[in-house]
mmCIF file of all heavy atoms in Angstrom:
data_model
loop_
_atom_site.group_PDB
_atom_site.id
_atom_site.type_symbol
_atom_site.label_atom_id
_atom_site.label_comp_id
_atom_site.label_asym_id
_atom_site.label_seq_id
_atom_site.Cartn_x
_atom_site.Cartn_y
_atom_site.Cartn_z
ATOM 1 N N PHE A 18 108.541 -205.297 115.534
ATOM 2 C CA PHE A 18 109.168 -204.379 116.488
ATOM 3 C C PHE A 18 110.647 -204.723 116.656
ATOM 4 O O PHE A 18 111.521 -203.851 116.588
ATOM 5 C CB PHE A 18 108.444 -204.455 117.835
ATOM 6 C CG PHE A 18 109.097 -203.654 118.924
ATOM 7 C CD1 PHE A 18 108.878 -202.292 119.041
ATOM 8 C CD2 PHE A 18 109.950 -204.273 119.841
ATOM 9 C CE1 PHE A 18 109.489 -201.543 120.038
ATOM 10 C CE2 PHE A 18 110.566 -203.536 120.846
ATOM 11 C CZ PHE A 18 110.333 -202.166 120.939
ATOM 12 N N VAL A 19 110.930 -206.025 116.879
ATOM 13 C CA VAL A 19 112.313 -206.481 117.040
ATOM 14 C C VAL A 19 113.104 -206.236 115.758
ATOM 15 O O VAL A 19 114.252 -205.776 115.798
ATOM 16 C CB VAL A 19 112.350 -207.979 117.420
ATOM 17 C CG1 VAL A 19 113.783 -208.492 117.416
ATOM 18 C CG2 VAL A 19 111.701 -208.202 118.781
ATOM 19 N N ALA A 20 112.492 -206.537 114.616
ATOM 20 C CA ALA A 20 113.162 -206.364 113.326
ATOM 21 C C ALA A 20 113.544 -204.903 113.087
ATOM 22 O O ALA A 20 114.650 -204.600 112.618
ATOM 23 C CB ALA A 20 112.266 -206.862 112.199
ATOM 24 N N ALA A 21 112.634 -204.000 113.435
ATOM 25 C CA ALA A 21 112.907 -202.567 113.224
ATOM 26 C C ALA A 21 114.076 -202.105 114.077
ATOM 27 O O ALA A 21 114.937 -201.344 113.616
ATOM 28 C CB ALA A 21 111.653 -201.755 113.546
ATOM 29 N N ARG A 22 114.112 -202.559 115.337
ATOM 30 C CA ARG A 22 115.211 -202.173 116.234
ATOM 31 C C ARG A 22 116.529 -202.770 115.747
ATOM 32 O O ARG A 22 117.582 -202.122 115.774
ATOM 33 C CB ARG A 22 114.923 -202.627 117.660
ATOM 34 C CG ARG A 22 113.696 -201.996 118.291
ATOM 35 C CD ARG A 22 113.836 -200.476 118.376
ATOM 36 N NE ARG A 22 112.659 -199.819 118.918
ATOM 37 C CZ ARG A 22 111.587 -199.480 118.225
ATOM 38 N NH1 ARG A 22 111.542 -199.734 116.921
ATOM 39 N NH2 ARG A 22 110.571 -198.874 118.807
ATOM 40 N N TYR A 23 116.482 -204.018 115.316
ATOM 41 C CA TYR A 23 117.691 -204.681 114.809
ATOM 42 C C TYR A 23 118.222 -203.956 113.575
ATOM 43 O O TYR A 23 119.420 -203.657 113.476
ATOM 44 C CB TYR A 23 117.389 -206.140 114.475
ATOM 45 C CG TYR A 23 118.559 -206.870 113.849
ATOM 46 C CD1 TYR A 23 119.453 -207.571 114.634
ATOM 47 C CD2 TYR A 23 118.781 -206.829 112.472
ATOM 48 C CE1 TYR A 23 120.552 -208.216 114.075
ATOM 49 C CE2 TYR A 23 119.866 -207.462 111.904
ATOM 50 C CZ TYR A 23 120.745 -208.159 112.712
ATOM 51 O OH TYR A 23 121.837 -208.784 112.149
ATOM 52 N N ASN A 24 117.340 -203.690 112.622
ATOM 53 C CA ASN A 24 117.748 -203.048 111.370
ATOM 54 C C ASN A 24 118.352 -201.669 111.619
ATOM 55 O O ASN A 24 119.331 -201.277 110.980
ATOM 56 C CB ASN A 24 116.558 -202.930 110.429
ATOM 57 C CG ASN A 24 116.039 -204.299 109.979
ATOM 58 O OD1 ASN A 24 116.749 -205.298 110.062
ATOM 59 N ND2 ASN A 24 114.794 -204.332 109.527
ATOM 60 N N LYS A 25 117.779 -200.944 112.566
ATOM 61 C CA LYS A 25 118.296 -199.619 112.894
ATOM 62 C C LYS A 25 119.689 -199.711 113.506
ATOM 63 O O LYS A 25 120.591 -198.950 113.145
ATOM 64 C CB LYS A 25 117.337 -198.929 113.874
ATOM 65 C CG LYS A 25 117.737 -197.499 114.208
ATOM 66 C CD LYS A 25 116.702 -196.837 115.113
ATOM 67 C CE LYS A 25 117.092 -195.398 115.431
ATOM 68 N NZ LYS A 25 116.084 -194.734 116.305
ATOM 69 N N LEU A 26 119.865 -200.672 114.427
ATOM 70 C CA LEU A 26 121.162 -200.853 115.083
ATOM 71 C C LEU A 26 122.235 -201.239 114.083
ATOM 72 O O LEU A 26 123.329 -200.651 114.058
ATOM 73 C CB LEU A 26 121.050 -201.921 116.174
ATOM 74 C CG LEU A 26 122.369 -202.356 116.829
ATOM 75 C CD1 LEU A 26 123.027 -201.196 117.557
ATOM 76 C CD2 LEU A 26 122.133 -203.535 117.784
ATOM 77 N N PHE A 27 121.950 -202.229 113.218
ATOM 78 C CA PHE A 27 122.983 -202.722 112.315
ATOM 79 C C PHE A 27 123.232 -201.780 111.132
ATOM 80 O O PHE A 27 124.266 -201.879 110.479
ATOM 81 C CB PHE A 27 122.652 -204.144 111.839
ATOM 82 C CG PHE A 27 123.196 -205.190 112.761
ATOM 83 C CD1 PHE A 27 122.540 -205.485 113.943
ATOM 84 C CD2 PHE A 27 124.379 -205.846 112.482
ATOM 85 C CE1 PHE A 27 123.049 -206.428 114.820
ATOM 86 C CE2 PHE A 27 124.901 -206.785 113.340
ATOM 87 C CZ PHE A 27 124.238 -207.086 114.517
ATOM 88 N N THR A 28 122.312 -200.877 110.886
ATOM 89 C CA THR A 28 122.591 -199.830 109.902
ATOM 90 C C THR A 28 123.676 -198.908 110.441
ATOM 91 O O THR A 28 124.599 -198.510 109.727
ATOM 92 C CB THR A 28 121.324 -199.021 109.581
ATOM 93 O OG1 THR A 28 120.342 -199.903 109.017
ATOM 94 C CG2 THR A 28 121.632 -197.907 108.596
ATOM 95 N N VAL A 29 123.573 -198.621 111.735
ATOM 96 C CA VAL A 29 124.601 -197.811 112.398
ATOM 97 C C VAL A 29 125.935 -198.556 112.418
ATOM 98 O O VAL A 29 127.004 -197.950 112.282
ATOM 99 C CB VAL A 29 124.167 -197.462 113.846
ATOM 100 C CG1 VAL A 29 125.299 -196.757 114.588
ATOM 101 C CG2 VAL A 29 122.923 -196.595 113.830
ATOM 102 N N LEU A 30 125.883 -199.893 112.554
ATOM 103 C CA LEU A 30 127.099 -200.694 112.671
ATOM 104 C C LEU A 30 127.738 -201.055 111.329
ATOM 105 O O LEU A 30 128.750 -201.746 111.292
ATOM 106 C CB LEU A 30 126.792 -201.986 113.447
ATOM 107 C CG LEU A 30 126.396 -201.792 114.921
ATOM 108 C CD1 LEU A 30 126.032 -203.130 115.564
ATOM 109 C CD2 LEU A 30 127.528 -201.131 115.704
ATOM 110 N N GLY A 31 127.110 -200.623 110.209
ATOM 111 C CA GLY A 31 127.776 -200.831 108.929
ATOM 112 C C GLY A 31 126.958 -201.438 107.808
ATOM 113 O O GLY A 31 127.359 -201.385 106.641
ATOM 114 N N ASP A 32 125.801 -202.052 108.124
ATOM 115 C CA ASP A 32 124.962 -202.594 107.054
ATOM 116 C C ASP A 32 124.337 -201.457 106.246
ATOM 117 O O ASP A 32 124.037 -200.392 106.786
ATOM 118 C CB ASP A 32 123.839 -203.447 107.647
ATOM 119 C CG ASP A 32 124.322 -204.835 108.053
ATOM 120 O OD1 ASP A 32 125.507 -205.129 107.819
ATOM 121 O OD2 ASP A 32 123.528 -205.613 108.606
ATOM 122 N N THR A 33 124.112 -201.710 104.965
ATOM 123 C CA THR A 33 123.470 -200.695 104.130
ATOM 124 C C THR A 33 121.957 -200.856 104.112
ATOM 125 O O THR A 33 121.220 -199.864 104.071
ATOM 126 C CB THR A 33 124.006 -200.775 102.689
ATOM 127 O OG1 THR A 33 123.816 -202.111 102.183
ATOM 128 C CG2 THR A 33 125.482 -200.417 102.646
ATOM 129 N N ALA A 34 121.477 -202.113 104.149
ATOM 130 C CA ALA A 34 120.031 -202.359 104.133
ATOM 131 C C ALA A 34 119.727 -203.696 104.800
ATOM 132 O O ALA A 34 119.263 -204.639 104.149
ATOM 133 C CB ALA A 34 119.508 -202.340 102.708
ATOM 134 N N PRO A 35 119.961 -203.825 106.104
ATOM 135 C CA PRO A 35 119.709 -205.094 106.784
ATOM 136 C C PRO A 35 118.212 -205.398 106.845
ATOM 137 O O PRO A 35 117.381 -204.480 106.913
ATOM 138 C CB PRO A 35 120.269 -204.854 108.186
ATOM 139 C CG PRO A 35 120.160 -203.377 108.398
ATOM 140 C CD PRO A 35 120.419 -202.781 107.035
ATOM 141 N N ASP A 36 117.867 -206.675 106.811
ATOM 142 C CA ASP A 36 116.457 -207.065 106.896
ATOM 143 C C ASP A 36 116.334 -208.291 107.790
ATOM 144 O O ASP A 36 116.461 -209.429 107.344
ATOM 145 C CB ASP A 36 115.896 -207.361 105.504
ATOM 146 C CG ASP A 36 114.375 -207.338 105.484
ATOM 147 O OD1 ASP A 36 113.768 -207.864 106.439
ATOM 148 O OD2 ASP A 36 113.794 -206.779 104.539
ATOM 149 N N PHE A 37 116.124 -208.043 109.062
ATOM 150 C CA PHE A 37 116.049 -209.099 110.073
ATOM 151 C C PHE A 37 114.957 -210.107 109.756
ATOM 152 O O PHE A 37 115.190 -211.323 109.790
ATOM 153 C CB PHE A 37 115.790 -208.459 111.445
ATOM 154 C CG PHE A 37 115.588 -209.433 112.561
ATOM 155 C CD1 PHE A 37 116.663 -209.861 113.327
ATOM 156 C CD2 PHE A 37 114.323 -209.918 112.869
ATOM 157 C CE1 PHE A 37 116.476 -210.764 114.368
ATOM 158 C CE2 PHE A 37 114.123 -210.821 113.894
ATOM 159 C CZ PHE A 37 115.202 -211.242 114.647
ATOM 160 N N GLU A 38 113.766 -209.619 109.435
ATOM 161 C CA GLU A 38 112.628 -210.518 109.235
ATOM 162 C C GLU A 38 112.806 -211.425 108.027
ATOM 163 O O GLU A 38 112.572 -212.638 108.102
ATOM 164 C CB GLU A 38 111.338 -209.703 109.097
ATOM 165 C CG GLU A 38 110.090 -210.575 109.065
ATOM 166 C CD GLU A 38 108.803 -209.759 109.070
ATOM 167 O OE1 GLU A 38 108.875 -208.520 109.222
ATOM 168 O OE2 GLU A 38 107.733 -210.367 108.907
ATOM 169 N N LYS A 39 113.240 -210.869 106.904
ATOM 170 C CA LYS A 39 113.439 -211.695 105.711
ATOM 171 C C LYS A 39 114.547 -212.723 105.930
ATOM 172 O O LYS A 39 114.437 -213.871 105.497
ATOM 173 C CB LYS A 39 113.767 -210.808 104.508
ATOM 174 C CG LYS A 39 112.582 -210.018 103.986
ATOM 175 C CD LYS A 39 112.967 -209.193 102.768
ATOM 176 C CE LYS A 39 111.769 -208.414 102.234
ATOM 177 N NZ LYS A 39 112.137 -207.566 101.056
ATOM 178 N N GLY A 40 115.626 -212.292 106.600
ATOM 179 C CA GLY A 40 116.713 -213.221 106.872
ATOM 180 C C GLY A 40 116.276 -214.376 107.741
ATOM 181 O O GLY A 40 116.667 -215.529 107.522
ATOM 182 N N LEU A 41 115.433 -214.075 108.750
ATOM 183 C CA LEU A 41 114.936 -215.126 109.647
ATOM 184 C C LEU A 41 113.983 -216.054 108.923
ATOM 185 O O LEU A 41 114.086 -217.288 109.056
ATOM 186 C CB LEU A 41 114.237 -214.471 110.836
ATOM 187 C CG LEU A 41 113.725 -215.427 111.931
ATOM 188 C CD1 LEU A 41 114.898 -216.140 112.600
ATOM 189 C CD2 LEU A 41 112.906 -214.665 112.965
ATOM 190 N N ARG A 42 113.044 -215.509 108.171
ATOM 191 C CA ARG A 42 112.034 -216.336 107.499
ATOM 192 C C ARG A 42 112.654 -217.290 106.479
ATOM 193 O O ARG A 42 112.100 -218.362 106.204
ATOM 194 C CB ARG A 42 110.993 -215.441 106.813
ATOM 195 C CG ARG A 42 110.072 -214.717 107.794
ATOM 196 C CD ARG A 42 108.951 -213.980 107.079
ATOM 197 N NE ARG A 42 108.092 -213.264 108.002
ATOM 198 C CZ ARG A 42 107.109 -213.823 108.712
ATOM 199 N NH1 ARG A 42 106.860 -215.120 108.565
ATOM 200 N NH2 ARG A 42 106.379 -213.090 109.522
ATOM 201 N N GLU A 43 113.788 -216.924 105.914
ATOM 202 C CA GLU A 43 114.407 -217.807 104.915
ATOM 203 C C GLU A 43 115.017 -219.061 105.530
ATOM 204 O O GLU A 43 115.381 -219.980 104.812
ATOM 205 C CB GLU A 43 115.482 -217.037 104.145
ATOM 206 C CG GLU A 43 114.919 -216.072 103.126
ATOM 207 C CD GLU A 43 115.603 -216.186 101.777
ATOM 208 O OE1 GLU A 43 116.840 -216.061 101.746
ATOM 209 O OE2 GLU A 43 114.912 -216.386 100.771
ATOM 210 N N LEU A 44 115.135 -219.089 106.854
ATOM 211 C CA LEU A 44 115.745 -220.241 107.503
ATOM 212 C C LEU A 44 114.729 -221.287 107.964
ATOM 213 O O LEU A 44 115.080 -222.224 108.665
ATOM 214 C CB LEU A 44 116.579 -219.782 108.712
ATOM 215 C CG LEU A 44 117.788 -218.912 108.377
ATOM 216 C CD1 LEU A 44 118.518 -218.505 109.644
ATOM 217 C CD2 LEU A 44 118.736 -219.650 107.434
ATOM 218 N N THR A 45 113.476 -221.130 107.568
ATOM 219 C CA THR A 45 112.482 -222.141 107.924
ATOM 220 C C THR A 45 112.786 -223.455 107.195
ATOM 221 O O THR A 45 113.439 -223.461 106.150
ATOM 222 C CB THR A 45 111.063 -221.682 107.546
ATOM 223 O OG1 THR A 45 111.005 -221.470 106.128
ATOM 224 C CG2 THR A 45 110.693 -220.400 108.285
ATOM 225 N N HIS A 46 112.290 -224.534 107.764
ATOM 226 C CA HIS A 46 112.547 -225.860 107.178
ATOM 227 C C HIS A 46 111.990 -225.949 105.751
ATOM 228 O O HIS A 46 112.668 -226.445 104.841
ATOM 229 C CB HIS A 46 111.910 -226.935 108.058
ATOM 230 C CG HIS A 46 111.987 -228.305 107.475
ATOM 231 N ND1 HIS A 46 113.172 -229.009 107.385
ATOM 232 C CD2 HIS A 46 111.029 -229.097 106.903
ATOM 233 C CE1 HIS A 46 112.943 -230.188 106.817
ATOM 234 N NE2 HIS A 46 111.663 -230.252 106.510
ATOM 235 N N SER A 47 110.769 -225.453 105.560
ATOM 236 C CA SER A 47 110.139 -225.561 104.237
ATOM 237 C C SER A 47 110.895 -224.759 103.186
ATOM 238 O O SER A 47 111.097 -225.230 102.054
ATOM 239 C CB SER A 47 108.685 -225.087 104.312
ATOM 240 O OG SER A 47 108.619 -223.748 104.789
ATOM 241 N N ASN A 48 111.350 -223.566 103.543
ATOM 242 C CA ASN A 48 112.059 -222.731 102.573
ATOM 243 C C ASN A 48 113.404 -223.329 102.199
ATOM 244 O O ASN A 48 113.778 -223.363 101.015
ATOM 245 C CB ASN A 48 112.255 -221.326 103.147
ATOM 246 C CG ASN A 48 112.941 -220.397 102.148
ATOM 247 O OD1 ASN A 48 112.322 -219.945 101.185
ATOM 248 N ND2 ASN A 48 114.218 -220.134 102.362
ATOM 249 N N CYS A 49 114.152 -223.816 103.201
ATOM 250 C CA CYS A 49 115.482 -224.370 102.914
ATOM 251 C C CYS A 49 115.399 -225.686 102.159
ATOM 252 O O CYS A 49 116.270 -225.988 101.328
ATOM 253 C CB CYS A 49 116.261 -224.553 104.220
ATOM 254 S SG CYS A 49 116.836 -223.001 104.939
ATOM 255 N N ALA A 50 114.371 -226.484 102.441
ATOM 256 C CA ALA A 50 114.184 -227.737 101.709
ATOM 257 C C ALA A 50 113.922 -227.452 100.229
ATOM 258 O O ALA A 50 114.435 -228.146 99.340
ATOM 259 C CB ALA A 50 113.030 -228.531 102.312
ATOM 260 N N LYS A 51 113.136 -226.428 99.979
ATOM 261 C CA LYS A 51 112.857 -226.027 98.595
ATOM 262 C C LYS A 51 114.107 -225.463 97.934
ATOM 263 O O LYS A 51 114.418 -225.785 96.774
ATOM 264 C CB LYS A 51 111.733 -224.981 98.585
ATOM 265 C CG LYS A 51 111.382 -224.462 97.200
ATOM 266 C CD LYS A 51 110.305 -223.389 97.294
ATOM 267 C CE LYS A 51 110.010 -222.815 95.901
ATOM 268 N NZ LYS A 51 108.986 -221.727 95.962
ATOM 269 N N LEU A 52 114.836 -224.621 98.701
ATOM 270 C CA LEU A 52 116.051 -224.004 98.165
ATOM 271 C C LEU A 52 117.097 -225.065 97.830
ATOM 272 O O LEU A 52 117.839 -224.924 96.838
ATOM 273 C CB LEU A 52 116.621 -223.015 99.180
ATOM 274 C CG LEU A 52 117.887 -222.266 98.769
ATOM 275 C CD1 LEU A 52 117.603 -221.329 97.596
ATOM 276 C CD2 LEU A 52 118.451 -221.473 99.941
ATOM 277 N N ASP A 53 117.169 -226.125 98.625
ATOM 278 C CA ASP A 53 118.165 -227.169 98.403
ATOM 279 C C ASP A 53 118.024 -227.793 97.017
ATOM 280 O O ASP A 53 119.019 -228.159 96.391
ATOM 281 C CB ASP A 53 118.030 -228.248 99.487
ATOM 282 C CG ASP A 53 119.097 -229.326 99.366
ATOM 283 O OD1 ASP A 53 120.284 -229.005 99.576
ATOM 284 O OD2 ASP A 53 118.742 -230.473 99.033
ATOM 285 N N GLU A 54 116.804 -227.892 96.553
ATOM 286 C CA GLU A 54 116.569 -228.455 95.221
ATOM 287 C C GLU A 54 116.972 -227.474 94.119
ATOM 288 O O GLU A 54 117.326 -227.883 93.013
ATOM 289 C CB GLU A 54 115.087 -228.824 95.075
ATOM 290 C CG GLU A 54 114.629 -229.914 96.039
ATOM 291 C CD GLU A 54 113.151 -230.232 95.879
ATOM 292 O OE1 GLU A 54 112.489 -229.564 95.046
ATOM 293 O OE2 GLU A 54 112.653 -231.120 96.593
ATOM 294 N N GLU A 55 116.918 -226.181 94.443
ATOM 295 C CA GLU A 55 117.215 -225.158 93.441
ATOM 296 C C GLU A 55 118.707 -224.880 93.286
ATOM 297 O O GLU A 55 119.126 -224.298 92.282
ATOM 298 C CB GLU A 55 116.500 -223.850 93.818
ATOM 299 C CG GLU A 55 114.983 -223.961 93.835
ATOM 300 C CD GLU A 55 114.327 -222.677 94.311
ATOM 301 O OE1 GLU A 55 115.075 -221.710 94.598
ATOM 302 O OE2 GLU A 55 113.086 -222.645 94.413
ATOM 303 N N ILE A 56 119.492 -225.265 94.302
ATOM 304 C CA ILE A 56 120.937 -224.988 94.231
ATOM 305 C C ILE A 56 121.738 -226.297 94.391
ATOM 306 O O ILE A 56 122.395 -226.516 95.405
ATOM 307 C CB ILE A 56 121.365 -223.951 95.298
ATOM 308 C CG1 ILE A 56 120.849 -224.339 96.692
ATOM 309 C CG2 ILE A 56 120.870 -222.571 94.933
ATOM 310 C CD1 ILE A 56 121.373 -223.415 97.793
ATOM 311 N N PRO A 57 121.680 -227.146 93.387
ATOM 312 C CA PRO A 57 122.420 -228.416 93.458
ATOM 313 C C PRO A 57 123.929 -228.181 93.452
ATOM 314 O O PRO A 57 124.407 -227.127 93.034
ATOM 315 C CB PRO A 57 121.981 -229.145 92.183
ATOM 316 C CG PRO A 57 121.632 -228.042 91.227
ATOM 317 C CD PRO A 57 121.015 -226.965 92.080
ATOM 318 N N ASP A 58 124.656 -229.174 93.907
ATOM 319 C CA ASP A 58 126.116 -229.062 93.943
ATOM 320 C C ASP A 58 126.683 -228.969 92.535
ATOM 321 O O ASP A 58 126.197 -229.625 91.606
ATOM 322 C CB ASP A 58 126.720 -230.277 94.651
ATOM 323 C CG ASP A 58 126.420 -230.276 96.137
ATOM 324 O OD1 ASP A 58 125.906 -229.250 96.633
ATOM 325 O OD2 ASP A 58 126.690 -231.294 96.802
ATOM 326 N N SER A 59 127.735 -228.195 92.403
ATOM 327 C CA SER A 59 128.433 -228.084 91.124
ATOM 328 C C SER A 59 129.479 -229.188 91.029
ATOM 329 O O SER A 59 130.209 -229.448 91.995
ATOM 330 C CB SER A 59 129.118 -226.720 91.018
ATOM 331 O OG SER A 59 130.029 -226.706 89.926
ATOM 332 N N PRO A 60 129.597 -229.845 89.892
ATOM 333 C CA PRO A 60 130.605 -230.898 89.727
ATOM 334 C C PRO A 60 132.031 -230.347 89.747
ATOM 335 O O PRO A 60 132.993 -231.102 89.887
ATOM 336 C CB PRO A 60 130.268 -231.506 88.359
ATOM 337 C CG PRO A 60 129.535 -230.413 87.633
ATOM 338 C CD PRO A 60 128.761 -229.682 88.681
ATOM 339 N N ASN A 61 132.162 -229.035 89.625
ATOM 340 C CA ASN A 61 133.488 -228.413 89.609
ATOM 341 C C ASN A 61 133.993 -228.020 91.002
ATOM 342 O O ASN A 61 135.101 -227.496 91.127
ATOM 343 C CB ASN A 61 133.458 -227.156 88.726
ATOM 344 C CG ASN A 61 133.032 -227.464 87.303
ATOM 345 O OD1 ASN A 61 133.401 -228.492 86.746
ATOM 346 N ND2 ASN A 61 132.230 -226.575 86.724
ATOM 347 N N VAL A 62 133.167 -228.242 92.023
ATOM 348 C CA VAL A 62 133.493 -227.790 93.379
ATOM 349 C C VAL A 62 133.548 -228.982 94.336
ATOM 350 O O VAL A 62 132.704 -229.872 94.282
ATOM 351 C CB VAL A 62 132.448 -226.764 93.884
ATOM 352 C CG1 VAL A 62 132.758 -226.321 95.316
ATOM 353 C CG2 VAL A 62 132.393 -225.554 92.948
#
């Protein structure tokens, strides 16, 4: 319910396809810990 209201509001404010729920779920500890292994630091940066 919250996600639908958020997505509708931010579509009006300029987003083309906002996704509140997916954005929130990606910030869980388990997901970010896994992601950290997939995106190691670049030696050029």
Side-chain angles (χ1 to χ4, degrees):
F18 174 82
V19 173
R22 297 299 177 276
Y23 176 92
N24 295 340
K25 184 176 181 180
L26 172 63
F27 271 79
T28 299
V29 174
L30 294 177
D32 281 357
T33 56
D36 198 318
F37 176 92
E38 187 174 354
K39 288 182 179 178
L41 184 65
R42 289 187 181 279
E43 284 227 305
L44 295 179
T45 61
H46 174 71
S47 58
N48 182 75
C49 287
K51 179 182 177 182
L52 181 66
D53 184 66
E54 297 179 358
E55 297 176 1
I56 50 174
D58 290 351
S59 167
N61 302 322
V62 178

